[in-house]
Amino acid sequence: GAVVSQHPSRVICKSGTSVKIECRSLDFQATTMFWYRQFPKQSLMLMATSNEGSKATYEQGVEKDKFLINHASLTLSTLTVTSAHPEDSSFYICSTVNSVTGELFFGEGSRLTVL
Amino acid sequence: TQLLEQSPQFLSIQEGENLTVYCNSSSVFSSLQWYRQEPGEGPVLLVTVVTGGEVKKLKRLTFQFGDARKDSSLHITAAQPGDTGLYLCAGARNQGGKLIFGQGTELSVKP
């Protein structure tokens, strides 16, 4: 079964609205989660590292006020795309790392379409 | 700056042909992973290589990690239409889980 669950898998929203994507670690507590963005036919680009109980670490060029990350519990991280615009339309994927085994697990991804 | 150069980015071949995908970097990685991704889904791990010079086989897929742990290759023998998909290499600098992905290789195997 799935180790990491993302929700929603697909979301369509109007320009200017905010959208929240959830990433849940189902099998273990994850102090660290990662958020990636992927455009069609392209690779995954790391957006930020989500740290439980502290601020997320954003990669260069990623607007932290645009992409709000909250990691309030050991099993849940959320990514909120604020004031979404069509150029934010993308496939967003999260991953978690099992700190005991070092194994990395990816979610199923969330397809965001901004009209 | 792309830290992990993956090539080719697109590959269209006939069923039965062999192919090799390369990932190269000027940086050393503690490990390198290969993933396959279907449209609309998350990437699925194929293999992790850790030791320089390591070779791992997964049925018709052969993975190699360079001696200096800066490069890796994926070789597919007798490709089949079911091998079609996006192949991604990703390097890790430590055990923290942060990965640097290559650009990906979109493979199409025609029957």
Side-chain angles (χ1 to χ4, degrees), chain A residues 10 32 34 36 38 41-46 49 59 91 93 95 97 101-102 104 106-109 111, chain B residues 2 10 33 35 37 39-43 45 86 88-89 95-104 106:
Chain A
R10 291 175 181 271
T32 304
F34 301 93
Y36 294 85
Q38 184 179 32
K41 304 294 185 180
Q42 294 187 22
S43 187
L44 280 70
M45 295 297 293
L46 180 64
T49 302
E59 295 298 304
F91 195 52
I93 306 173
S95 72
V97 58
T101 65
L104 192 66
F106 282 88
E108 312 97 322
R111 171 75 61 195
Chain B
Q2 188 68 38
F10 299 96
Q33 302 180 347
Y35 291 86
Q37 186 182 24
E41 300 179 10
L45 179 67
L86 178 67
L88 299 158
C89 64
Q95 299 300 317
K98 184 176 178 178
L99 294 178
I100 304 297
F101 278 86
Q103 298 98 324
E106 187 73 38

Side-chain angles (χ1 to χ4, degrees), chain A residues 17-23 33-37 47-51 54-58 62-72 76-84 88 92 94 112:
Chain A
T17 61
S18 294
V19 175
K20 181 184 287 187
I21 301 170
E22 295 183 346
C23 179
M33 294 186 182
F34 301 93
W35 286 97
Y36 294 85
R37 181 176 184 175
M47 299 176 65
T49 302
S50 175
N51 305 298
S54 64
K55 292 183 179 180
T57 305
Y58 289 82
V62 178
E63 300 176 60
K64 62 180 181 179
D65 295 329
K66 172 77 172 175
F67 300 99
L68 299 178
I69 291 172
N70 185 287
H71 194 153
L76 175 64
S77 175
T78 61
L79 168 69
T80 300
V81 182
T82 62
S83 187
D88 298 324
Y92 292 89
C94 70
L112 170 63

Side-chain angles (χ1 to χ4, degrees), chain B residues 48-68:
Chain B
T48 299
V49 285
V50 179
T51 306
E54 183 176 6
V55 177
K56 283 191 174 179
K57 289 182 181 288
L58 186 64
K59 295 184 180 178
R60 293 176 294 101
L61 279 61
T62 302
F63 305 86
Q64 187 164 6
F65 202 13
D67 292 339

